[in-house]
Amino acid sequence: MFAVCALFAESVHPSESRRDNPVVLDLDSGRVKITQFFIGMATVTIGLIGLLSAPTEEYDGIGVIVVVLVSLTTFPVSLRWFFGGWPTPKALVAYVVYADVSIGTCLLLKQELLTAIGGTVLFAVVTMFAVIAVRPSVYWVHMATNVVVLAIVSVRAALNDAASPGVVAAHTLTMLLMFAAPMILVIYVSELRSRAQESLVDPLTGLCNRRGLVAAVETVFLTSQKDRSAEMSAVVLDVDGLKRVNDTLGHHTGDAVLVDLAQHLRAVTSNKWVVARLGGDEFACVSVAEPGTTEPRIEALVAALSDTRMISGLSVSVGSATTEAHVGGSKQAIQLLLRTADAEMYRAKSTRRQSGDYSGSAPG
């Protein structure tokens, strides 16, 4: 029950949405919806299997009631997949736990033990989902659970003479082979996941690159509840006079300035912003939050950045922009917001130049 509740509970936190949520890494909203549809169909189908088998000779007494109740829980869970956004990482783990407990309970209550061995194939459905949707440690716990349930059912089948020892062994080994087959997928998905992460990260600073920023913000949209209104804000900044630092002190010094600024951005943004290096000396911070909370958040961040003096003694110029956010927000909307904030940043830089408050020269 706790797992079911966790699946329905969601929150919009950029850092949490990006972390360990690989299935939405490079999929657009349409493909994510198709993925959700098939997961929902698999969930409701497993529930129907439970309901159809409960009144048969496979179960008796309290087992019938338990299997019916467990099977009925699949319907609200499947509706969540059909009509909700993509779940948060914690909710994805909760779904795997829920599926393992539900399937395991029904199999352990079966009276037809040879059928129960074959029924462990249902774990394979969850395994395919777990490989792509949760972190490896959760996947391995899931696999261990599958093996334990299979072992218990197989031992009971052997002790109760459900079939000859050879038949029980053959069925058990077949299921173990089914469990082992996704190992190839694990290796393949791990490699894809590693490459995808590398393509989204700036190698110098470790922040998101431009593509990673867009992917991160789109993930926030995908994990948002449809009925939740929100605003998307962007703060864009660049380093004043970095070109002169590169020209006079060398690019290694300029790189040190950028790394220092990246560390400062991590410190002042906490988990409220997705932070990225757009290229060169330009950085961006993007946030999706409830209306009414964005203005103070922007003001606090702009104030912190406007007062920034890095190890080089250089300052930064800052610009910001805000727009209404929509679930399924497009890349174009994010890029437009960044361009608006970028234009505001250059206006601020020009104003500072005219007022003389501009550290555009390299440190002596």
Side-chain angles (χ1 to χ4, degrees):
M1 185 60 69
F2 289 114
V4 176
C5 293
L7 182 63
F8 280 83
E10 293 183 339
S11 58
V12 182
H13 294 296
S15 60
E16 184 184 55
S17 299
R18 289 292 305 148
R19 185 175 62 251
D20 301 321
N21 208 350
V23 75
V24 296
L25 202 57
D26 282 320
L27 297 184
D28 59 31
S29 58
R31 290 175 180 176
V32 170
K33 280 299 177 188
I34 293 173
T35 303
Q36 289 185 231
F37 173 79
F38 282 112
I39 296 172
M41 285 299 299
T43 302
V44 74
T45 300
I46 290 175
L48 287 173
I49 292 172
L51 288 177
L52 291 173
S53 61
T56 67
E57 66 278 2
E58 293 185 358
Y59 296 98
D60 61 4
I62 190 66
V64 175
I65 299 173
V66 172
V67 171
V68 168
L69 292 177
V70 170
S71 299
L72 288 175
T73 65
T74 63
F75 294 100
V77 172
S78 63
L79 289 176
R80 167 61 186 78
W81 280 109
F82 290 138
F83 300 109
W86 186 260
T88 61
K90 290 180 180 178
L92 293 173
V93 174
Y95 176 73
V96 174
V97 173
Y98 158 76
D100 283 349
V101 171
S102 300
I103 295 172
T105 299
C106 293
L107 293 177
L108 292 173
L109 289 173
K110 273 182 178 288
Q111 299 300 308
E112 294 290 331
L113 297 174
L114 204 60
T115 305
I117 295 176
T120 58
V121 72
L122 294 176
F123 282 125
V125 179
V126 185
T127 297
M128 299 300 291
F129 169 81
V131 168
I132 63 172
V134 297
R135 58 187 181 273
S137 60
V138 177
Y139 165 77
W140 291 116
V141 171
H142 157 75
M143 289 298 295
T145 302
N146 298 357
V147 173
V148 168
V149 172
L150 175 60
I152 293 173
V153 173
S154 298
V155 169
R156 287 179 59 203
L159 294 177
N160 288 276
D161 297 322
S164 67
V167 172
V168 172
H171 279 69
T172 302
L173 290 174
T174 301
M175 291 303 103
L176 284 174
L177 185 61
M178 289 289 296
F179 294 168
M183 297 298 181
I184 299 173
L185 184 61
V186 170
I187 297 171
Y188 182 67
V189 169
S190 297
E191 178 63 21
L192 288 180
R193 190 177 301 176
S194 176
R195 292 184 182 183
Q197 290 288 2
E198 289 175 1
S199 72
L200 301 176
V201 175
D202 173 54
L204 176 64
T205 63
L207 299 175
C208 296
N209 57 22
R210 185 182 292 270
R211 181 167 175 257
L213 173 66
V214 173
V217 175
E218 288 189 325
T219 298
V220 174
F221 283 127
L222 289 171
T223 55
S224 300
Q225 290 181 340
K226 290 185 176 182
D227 58 352
R228 178 182 293 168
S229 59
E231 291 179 337
M232 180 168 58
S233 305
V235 173
V236 173
L237 60 144
D238 76 356
V239 182
D240 300 328
L242 185 64
K243 183 178 184 303
R244 293 188 180 183
V245 171
N246 288 330
D247 292 343
T248 58
L249 301 178
H251 284 276
H252 65 282
T253 303
D255 288 348
V257 171
L258 296 176
V259 171
D260 177 56
L261 177 57
Q263 292 174 343
H264 181 68
L265 286 173
R266 289 189 184 96
V268 299
T269 56
S270 185
N271 293 327
K272 297 179 180 179
W273 299 81
V274 179
V275 185
R277 181 190 177 197
L278 301 181
D281 64 343
E282 189 165 344
F283 294 76
C285 307
V286 177
S287 174
V288 179
E290 295 179 3
T293 65
T294 56
E295 220 172 297
R297 183 178 295 185
I298 292 175
E299 290 176 357
L301 180 58
V302 170
L305 295 175
S306 298
D307 293 336
T308 296
R309 288 294 185 274
M310 290 165 288
I311 54 174
S312 60
L314 299 178
S315 61
V316 296
S317 294
V318 184
S320 64
T322 301
T323 187
E324 185 179 352
H326 299 281
V327 174
S330 65
K331 296 180 181 178
Q332 291 77 13
I334 300 169
Q335 297 291 1
L336 177 60
L337 181 67
L338 291 174
R339 285 197 296 270
T340 304
D342 190 61
E344 181 63 29
M345 183 266 293
Y346 278 107
R347 278 195 292 270
K349 185 186 289 285
S350 177
T351 300
R352 292 175 63 220
R353 278 199 181 105
Q354 294 173 6
S355 65
D357 180 25
Y358 179 80
S359 58
S361 57

